[in-house]
Amino acid sequence: TKPFKTDTIVIAPGQTTSVLLKANRAAGKYLVAATPFMDSPIAVDNVTATATLHYTGSLGSTITTLTSLPPKNATPVATNFTDSLRSLNSKKYPARVPQKVDHSLFFTISLGVNPCPTCVNGSKVVAAINNVTFVMPKVSLLQAHFFNISGVFIDDFPGKPPVVYDFTGTQQPTNLRTNRGTRVYRLAYNSTVQLVLQDTGMITPENHPLHLHGFNFFVVGRGQGNFNPKKDTKKFNLVDPVERNTVGVPSGGWTAIRFRADNPGEDFNLIRVWIKVCKL
């Protein structure tokens, strides 16, 4: 049977979404399909996965027809779904969005090109936050912190990009080399954080997934182009924003999140850039 309606759900890599399915339709088989979403041309598996939802009493021989799926670059469809999500914000489940911010951070997400003696062309593409590419330490950061092991990391990760330019414009910096290091940004226990994640056009704009270990954050705003602190901050949803532990930073755009650093020892991992939550 043909599905009576097509509902679209967008899930970023590593992300989860709770969906309430009402089984109140006529007996039959209903199709569930998943296909990649690409708001910028990148190399991914172009495969559509399908499954069927069988109602009790439906015949096994019933033919299921695949309806037309949205285009793989259907950014308006993805944006409408993402912007429609809200927290419950009830007395039982209040949305405890930080209203005051102790740390206001701005991270640019970009690609770069660094020397690589063992690579074919002598260089390799690397990821960077605020032009810093993470270097994996031989000792874990948490172990180094608790046992005061020196030389493992430096707590000087920049809270803002070292160079400000038109991040999503066509005129990008010609120097694609990044700084390498194991650098962290310390957060005092129970402090509140606002973090704006800005995609850039370095090499190519991409949709970047972000994950916060140990606890959730609130997505208070998102948009296309460069983040404007004077205009965009006024549009933040500080009442009932969606609560997540993973979010996609839109290609050529930005996402703003807020959270309370109340889980000591947890690491905020975004393309191997770390923020340490410490009891000081």
Side-chain angles (χ1 to χ4, degrees), residues 38-257:
M38 297 177 287
D39 52 2
S40 59
I42 57 176
V44 297
D45 293 334
N46 187 11
V47 178
T48 299
T50 60
T52 54
L53 175 65
H54 292 250
Y55 275 53
T56 301
S58 60
L59 299 177
S61 59
T62 303
I63 299 175
T64 303
T65 303
L66 177 63
T67 59
S68 298
L69 296 174
K72 290 179 174 55
N73 62 345
T75 300
V77 176
T79 300
N80 289 339
F81 171 79
T82 302
D83 291 346
S84 68
L85 298 178
R86 296 288 186 273
S87 293
L88 294 176
N89 196 26
S90 61
K91 291 184 179 180
K92 187 176 182 181
Y93 303 104
R96 295 186 173 89
V97 188
Q99 300 298 307
K100 295 183 179 180
V101 174
D102 298 319
H103 298 265
S104 182
L105 307 177
F106 186 88
F107 286 0
T108 55
I109 309 171
S110 63
L111 298 175
V113 179
N114 283 350
C116 176
T118 60
C119 298
V120 176
N121 297 323
S123 61
K124 63 179 179 180
V125 176
V126 296
I129 301 295
N130 284 352
N131 204 44
V132 177
T133 298
F134 181 75
V135 176
M136 181 67 70
K138 296 181 180 180
V139 179
S140 72
L141 300 180
L142 194 59
Q143 181 180 358
H145 166 70
F146 279 108
F147 293 99
N148 294 319
I149 303 175
S150 61
V152 177
F153 64 84
I154 303 174
D155 52 357
D156 66 344
F157 188 86
K160 297 180 180 180
V163 179
V164 178
Y165 60 98
D166 185 359
F167 300 118
T168 58
T170 56
Q171 194 69 27
Q172 295 293 306
T174 55
N175 183 8
L176 301 180
R177 189 164 181 172
T178 68
N179 298 317
R180 299 175 71 253
T182 308
R183 304 166 67 178
V184 304
Y185 187 100
R186 289 183 183 267
L187 298 174
Y189 175 72
N190 216 34
S191 59
T192 55
V193 183
Q194 175 177 293
L195 173 59
V196 177
L197 297 140
Q198 174 72 62
D199 183 39
T200 72
M202 294 284 283
I203 299 181
T204 180
E206 289 186 323
N207 190 305
H208 301 272
L210 172 149
H211 175 68
L212 179 60
H213 290 287
F215 45 102
N216 296 346
F217 53 77
F218 293 96
V219 183
V220 297
R222 65 194 302 273
Q224 287 294 314
N226 295 326
F227 174 73
N228 187 317
K230 293 184 179 180
K231 295 181 180 180
D232 294 328
T233 304
K234 296 178 181 179
K235 303 176 184 178
F236 281 179
N237 178 6
L238 302 180
V239 178
D240 60 350
V242 63
E243 186 175 358
R244 288 198 177 279
N245 59 37
T246 304
V247 68
V249 180
S251 175
W254 56 271
T255 294
I257 67 173

Side-chain angles (χ1 to χ4, degrees), residues 7-62:
D7 291 315
T8 302
I9 299 173
V10 182
I11 302 178
Q15 194 176 64
T16 59
T17 297
S18 298
V19 178
L20 178 62
L21 173 66
K22 294 183 178 181
N24 58 358
R25 297 293 164 173
K29 295 195 301 181
Y30 295 84
L31 190 69
V32 180
T35 186
F37 164 64
M38 297 177 287
D39 52 2
S40 59
I42 57 176
V44 297
D45 293 334
N46 187 11
V47 178
T48 299
T50 60
T52 54
L53 175 65
H54 292 250
Y55 275 53
T56 301
S58 60
L59 299 177
S61 59
T62 303

Side-chain angles (χ1 to χ4, degrees), residues 255-276:
T255 294
I257 67 173
R258 287 191 180 188
F259 63 95
R260 182 176 294 277
D262 56 1
N263 193 354
E266 286 298 331
D267 303 310
F268 184 30
N269 186 352
L270 172 60
I271 314 181
R272 299 192 181 280
V273 174
W274 300 74
I275 297 179
K276 301 298 296 182

